[in-house]
Amino acid sequence: MSVEKDIIKIQHKLQNMSDENADQSQALDLLKALKDLPITLDILTKTRVGMTVNSFRKSCNNEEVITFSKALIKNWKKLLNGDKSTTQETKKEKKERKKSEEKEQKIETKKDTSKPVIFPTPSTTDAVRLKCRELLVSALKTDDENEGCASIEELADELEDAIFLEFKNTDARYKNRVRSRYSNLKDAKNPQLRSNFIAGAITPAQLAKMTAEEMASDEMKTLRNKLIKESIDDAQLATVQGTKTDLLKCGKCKKRNCTYNQIQTRSADEPMTTFVMCNECGNRWKFC
């Protein structure tokens, strides 16, 4: 557990260094500390540290840090593929492996051809779940290249798996949850939700449980807050006791049974605004 805590601390520091003007002088020391930690396949999968290192590498301008990051990710890839530990290799195998790695590093320094770390995801043979995963993949795919360390397919699988774990079956509630995630991720008016999910700002577990209000775009949230405020203002106005009069005529039902209130809505030197409500049909209007 202490290894995971150390990894998480280093991850936070690397993420803070990803900003354009951040001080990255300690980046190499942090990466070396990661290399010295006894990272297992289980820890690598849980912490997703590979995504953090790969993302930091893309924002870094130090060639030594970039080269070390690539080498670190390659070592983790070997762990994922089940390669033998270097302590079990013969001297001849060590020598050949070292030459091969140095050759590959020289080639990648000239041309960046490294691929992101692929982490294992839960698998399923259920036809309904597989269809839902395909639906989520189609919502995440665009013409732009994926900049995340995880693949689109992996993110879709993890999101579907998080939804399934909540309902434990593929009933109507499960399907409705998948459809709502699909609609919001596909929404061209809300690209920020998809970007945040792919970048890792929103995890699959979080997106699986987010409400429609939480997934809405900033523009929709602003509009919703405005409508709520207007509704509250209307309700408050309706509860204020006004003055009844038969001098005002309702333009809707044409009857003279009204109640009016006068409120100072502008500066003090301006006349008050009169709000009128028809007691017969409920029609409301205002005039200055």
Side-chain angles (χ1 to χ4, degrees), residues 171-186:
D171 59 9
R173 296 177 303 161
Y174 162 86
K175 293 177 181 178
N176 288 335
R177 183 69 62 84
V178 172
R179 290 192 193 100
S180 69
R181 306 310 102 161
Y182 168 82
S183 300
N184 283 275
L185 288 170
K186 191 80 173 177

Side-chain angles (χ1 to χ4, degrees), residues 136-137 140-141 146 150-157 194 198:
L136 293 172
V137 168
L140 290 171
K141 281 187 174 179
N146 178 26
S151 67
I152 291 296
E153 290 76 12
E154 180 187 351
L155 288 173
D157 289 353
R194 178 187 172 280
I198 291 178

Side-chain angles (χ1 to χ4, degrees), residues 124-164:
T124 179
T125 58
D126 186 278
V128 175
R129 294 185 63 188
L130 290 174
K131 188 66 177 178
C132 289
R133 291 185 178 192
E134 292 177 4
L135 191 68
L136 293 172
V137 168
S138 66
L140 290 171
K141 281 187 174 179
T142 63
D143 295 333
D144 299 330
E145 182 182 356
N146 178 26
E147 290 296 333
C149 187
S151 67
I152 291 296
E153 290 76 12
E154 180 187 351
L155 288 173
D157 289 353
E158 291 185 359
L159 175 56
E160 183 280 331
D161 192 60
I163 296 173
F164 179 79

Side-chain angles (χ1 to χ4, degrees), residues 111 152 154 189 196 215 236 249 257 263 277 287:
K111 182 178 180 181
I152 291 296
E154 180 187 351
K189 296 181 179 179
N196 287 339
M215 290 187 292
Q236 290 175 341
K249 184 178 180 181
N257 181 12
I263 301 175
M277 181 183 73
F287 61 87

Side-chain angles (χ1 to χ4, degrees), residues 151-286:
S151 67
I152 291 296
E153 290 76 12
E154 180 187 351
L155 288 173
D157 289 353
E158 291 185 359
L159 175 56
E160 183 280 331
D161 192 60
I163 296 173
F164 179 79
L165 287 176
E166 181 177 353
F167 299 106
K168 309 297 184 186
N169 56 57
T170 56
D171 59 9
R173 296 177 303 161
Y174 162 86
K175 293 177 181 178
N176 288 335
R177 183 69 62 84
V178 172
R179 290 192 193 100
S180 69
R181 306 310 102 161
Y182 168 82
S183 300
N184 283 275
L185 288 170
K186 191 80 173 177
D187 189 359
K189 296 181 179 179
N190 189 16
Q192 194 63 37
L193 177 67
R194 178 187 172 280
S195 299
N196 287 339
F197 180 54
I198 291 178
I202 300 175
T203 66
Q206 290 173 332
L207 183 57
K209 296 184 178 182
M210 288 175 70
T211 64
E213 289 77 11
E214 291 172 336
M215 290 187 292
S217 63
D218 292 340
E219 181 181 358
M220 184 59 68
K221 289 177 181 177
T222 301
L223 178 60
R224 183 181 289 114
N225 291 335
K226 181 180 179 182
L227 292 175
I228 291 174
K229 185 178 183 303
E230 290 179 352
S231 299
I232 293 174
D233 291 342
D234 288 344
Q236 290 175 341
L237 179 63
T239 58
V240 176
Q241 185 177 2
T243 304
K244 290 186 177 181
T245 180
D246 57 0
L247 299 177
L248 300 174
K249 184 178 180 181
C250 177
K252 188 173 182 180
C253 66
K254 309 302 181 183
K255 294 184 179 180
R256 295 179 175 274
N257 181 12
C258 302
T259 299
Y260 71 91
N261 291 282
Q262 289 186 320
I263 301 175
Q264 187 69 50
T265 60
R266 295 172 292 180
S267 59
D269 58 342
E270 295 288 334
M272 299 178 70
T273 301
T274 302
F275 293 87
V276 186
M277 181 183 73
C278 176
N279 297 324
E280 299 290 339
C281 66
N283 181 36
R284 290 189 177 92
W285 69 95
K286 68 177 181 178

